[in-house]
Amino acid sequence: MIRLNNVTHQYVGMKEPIVRVDTLSLKKGERVALLGPSGSGKSTLLHMISGIFLPTTGEVTVDGYHFRQMKESERDAFRAQSVGYIFQDFHLVPSLTAKANIELVGTSTRLSEWFQRVGLEGKEQRYPHELSRGEAQRVAMIRAFIHEPSLVLADEPTGSLDRKTGENMMHLLHELTKEEKVTFLCVTHDESFAETFPRLLQMTPHEKGGMTVQ
């Protein structure tokens, strides 16, 4: 499903890459946590896996697509069709209802079902400011799943939630990703959340500088 070979990413002005990955593979349907401190390159790695930008060197392949061989517009189209993204700060449009925020991504006959599944039945017409932070994150989760992606990426999805809400959110994410049979890669700095995953990867210092995945 996901394969990285000899990948580095170096930002302009930096003396060395922030991320180096000699090799990394994730199988279809795996649920994997990526654990590491802030600034270790976790989000950078997600951006390469989603095709938001290309690695400085090396090759990223997702679901049979070789990103380096694709135009930016082709990567954008792939991401819109095949990748669901969940962010720490939700990224909901304040002037749109919960339902309308999801419909920015796509419509579905399953929309009412999804609101029921995440415990938001009856709140479809609420605006983001009328929702709790946990409810707003559940709207963002529906948005990530609604177009039936093969891959869901979560970047610190519990980072702005209190402990109990975060635990409930992570439990729900595990349930949904298993039921929908998607590959799930979740970035977190919280070790207790990371340990709930069947597979745990960690960002560690690379011998040549920067961070790598082990």
Side-chain angles (χ1 to χ4, degrees):
M1 173 65 183
I2 299 173
R3 179 175 290 275
L4 282 70
N5 286 311
N6 300 316
V7 164
T8 68
H9 190 273
Q10 185 168 348
Y11 290 104
V12 174
M14 295 184 67
K15 294 182 178 180
E16 61 184 30
I18 187 173
V19 175
R20 299 177 189 265
V21 181
D22 297 329
T23 181
L24 174 64
S25 296
L26 274 67
K27 296 178 182 178
K28 184 176 178 62
E30 272 198 289
R31 287 177 291 121
V32 181
L34 177 60
L35 180 67
S38 297
S40 60
K42 302 186 302 297
S43 296
T44 298
L45 188 61
L46 285 192
H47 289 337
M48 289 191 288
I49 290 173
S50 65
I52 291 176
F53 51 63
L54 294 174
T56 305
T57 64
E59 181 64 70
V60 177
T61 305
V62 179
D63 214 10
Y65 290 88
H66 299 269
F67 287 163
R68 194 169 290 284
Q69 299 175 10
M70 301 167 67
K71 298 177 182 178
E72 183 176 0
S73 60
E74 293 172 329
R75 299 198 311 274
D76 290 344
F78 164 80
R79 188 166 54 256
Q81 179 179 357
S82 301
V83 181
Y85 228 122
I86 303 171
F87 301 93
Q88 175 177 332
D89 293 321
F90 324 137
H91 290 192
L92 301 180
V93 179
S95 61
L96 297 179
T97 64
K99 182 173 182 286
N101 263 282
I102 294 164
E103 290 175 336
L104 285 175
V105 175
T107 57
S108 171
T109 57
R110 299 177 62 196
L111 189 54
S112 294
E113 173 193 337
W114 271 106
F115 272 90
Q116 294 175 359
R117 288 175 75 180
V118 303
L120 290 179
E121 185 178 7
K123 298 186 177 181
E124 293 88 344
Q125 300 305 320
R126 298 275 183 92
Y127 288 88
H129 73 272
E130 298 175 316
L131 301 170
S132 69
R133 296 190 69 79
E135 290 170 340
Q137 188 61 293
R138 290 168 190 258
V139 173
M141 287 165 57
I142 299 174
R143 184 181 58 193
F145 282 95
I146 197 66
H147 60 295
E148 300 181 357
S150 57
L151 171 64
V152 170
L153 302 174
D155 193 351
E156 300 281 5
T158 62
S160 62
L161 305 175
D162 64 74
R163 189 71 194 179
K164 184 60 177 179
T165 303
E167 290 174 354
N168 293 338
M169 199 66 57
M170 192 60 73
H171 178 73
L172 180 58
L173 276 170
H174 280 304
E175 284 189 348
L176 295 177
T177 50
K178 284 191 290 185
E179 291 170 1
E180 296 297 307
K181 297 180 173 61
V182 301
T183 306
F184 180 37
L185 178 58
C186 179
V187 157
T188 182
H189 65 270
D190 190 308
E191 187 171 350
S192 63
F193 285 146
E195 289 176 346
T196 66
F197 284 74
R199 183 180 176 192
L200 172 60
L201 301 172
Q202 296 195 52
M203 301 297 292
T204 61
H206 193 283
E207 60 182 6
K208 295 181 181 179
M211 302 293 282
T212 190
V213 181
Q214 291 186 335

